[in-house]
């Protein structure tokens, strides 16, 4: 597993990023090769086409599209890590173009009880993002997770027993207003709330969510939510 040092350009915090390896259809673990020393960029606007990179399997030579490596900094910034381009961008005849899904999210050591491996849903559309969040809530232990056919005016994307969830699939960081509206909706129905975002959160949104105890998650295009604040860490550790 390749690891590289990463410094967040927003808060100057240092991190170590380990590239996740996903199984190629041939069975060999494959990971996007990172460019050491190249500057990372802060994601402020997403385009679906730019969020995928071509990766070549060293074992069989197959070319496939893989999610662009990203890192969620505790300051709220979502960082894109540069990847070395493959020698030949072409795709050998007969190979597929569907990205390979990661096998699971590692279970935190503090979890109250073992869980089966989480199997995410690759995100290509806004609807996929809601579906990936629904799978994750079920994995956490929530019952009766319901996804409405159309998004209601309240912007609540998912409902479960004792919970409502919102999924921000826009290309900009989730603002403070979304956190406050979600909290008010949860307060009015006496349930808990969870918020998922594809592009991270503004600093004031994170601060307010911490104060209100709302778990915040960021999802990359593999469909694997990552906790970005204390309430989210606690939820992952204890489950529903």
């Amino acid at each position: 597993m390749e690891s590289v040092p990463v410094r967040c350009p927003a808060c100057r915090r240092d991190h170590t990023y380990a590239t996740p390896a996903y199984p190629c259809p041939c069975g060999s673990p494959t990971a996007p090769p990172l460019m050491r020393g190249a500057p990372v960029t802060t994601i402020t606007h997403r385009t679906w086409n730019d969020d995928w990179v071509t990766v070549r399997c060293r074992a069989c030579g197959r070319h496939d599209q893989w999610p662009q490596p990203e890192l969620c900094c505790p300051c709220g910034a979502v960082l894109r890590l540069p990847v070395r381009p493959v020698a030949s961008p072409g795709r050998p005849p007969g190979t597929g173009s569907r990205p390979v899904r990661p096998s699971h999210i590692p279970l935190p050591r503090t979890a109250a009880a073992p869980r089966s491996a989480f199997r995410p849903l690759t995100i290509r559309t806004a609807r996929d993002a809601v579906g990936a969040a629904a799978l994750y809530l079920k994995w956490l232990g929530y019952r009766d997770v319901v996804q409405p056919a159309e998004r209601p005016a309240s912007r609540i994307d998912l409902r479960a027993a004792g919970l409502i969830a919102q999924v921000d699939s826009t290309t900009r960081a989730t603002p403070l207003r979304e956190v406050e509206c979600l909290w008010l909706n949860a307060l009015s129905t006496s349930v808990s709330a969870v918020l998922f975002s594809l592009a991270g959160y503004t600093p004031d949104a994170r601060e307010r969510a911490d104060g209100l105890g709302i778990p915040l998650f960021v999802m990359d295009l593999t469909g694997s939510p990552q906790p970005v604040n204390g309430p989210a860490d606690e939820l992952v550790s204890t489950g529903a």
Side-chain angles (χ1 to χ4, degrees), residues 222-237:
T222 67
S224 301
Q226 300 293 333
V228 295
N229 67 348
D233 285 327
E234 183 178 354
L235 178 58
V236 173
S237 297

Side-chain angles (χ1 to χ4, degrees), residues 106-167:
L107 180 67
R109 295 180 181 273
T110 56
R115 302 188 191 106
S116 58
F118 174 64
R119 298 187 179 278
L121 171 69
T122 301
I123 298 174
R124 288 188 177 275
T125 66
R127 193 67 178 174
D128 289 340
V130 177
L135 289 176
Y136 192 71
L137 291 177
K138 293 176 183 177
W139 181 74
L140 287 174
Y142 286 99
R143 296 176 292 104
D144 304 324
V145 179
V146 177
Q147 178 180 349
E150 296 183 3
R151 197 181 201 199
S154 63
R155 299 197 295 276
I156 300 304
D157 296 290
L158 296 166
R159 295 182 182 274
L163 178 85
I164 58 174
Q166 183 175 331
V167 182

Side-chain angles (χ1 to χ4, degrees), residues 1 28 41 87 98 155 161 206 219 224:
M1 181 181 295
S28 299
T41 56
R98 178 173 294 181
R155 299 197 295 276
R206 284 203 54 185
M219 295 192 294
S224 301

Side-chain angles (χ1 to χ4, degrees), residues 63-79:
H63 292 67
D64 262 318
Q65 295 295 301
W66 299 68
Q68 171 80 42
E70 297 177 1
L71 172 68
C72 301
C73 181
C75 75
V78 182
L79 311 178

Side-chain angles (χ1 to χ4, degrees), residues 1 17-32 52 55 57 65-70 99-104 120 220-224 226:
M1 181 181 295
Y17 178 82
T19 310
Y22 307 137
C24 175
C26 76
S28 299
T30 306
W52 302 90
V55 178
C57 175
Q65 295 295 301
W66 299 68
Q68 171 80 42
E70 297 177 1
V100 180
R101 301 177 183 179
S103 58
H104 69 287
D220 60 21
L221 296 184
T222 67
S224 301
Q226 300 293 333

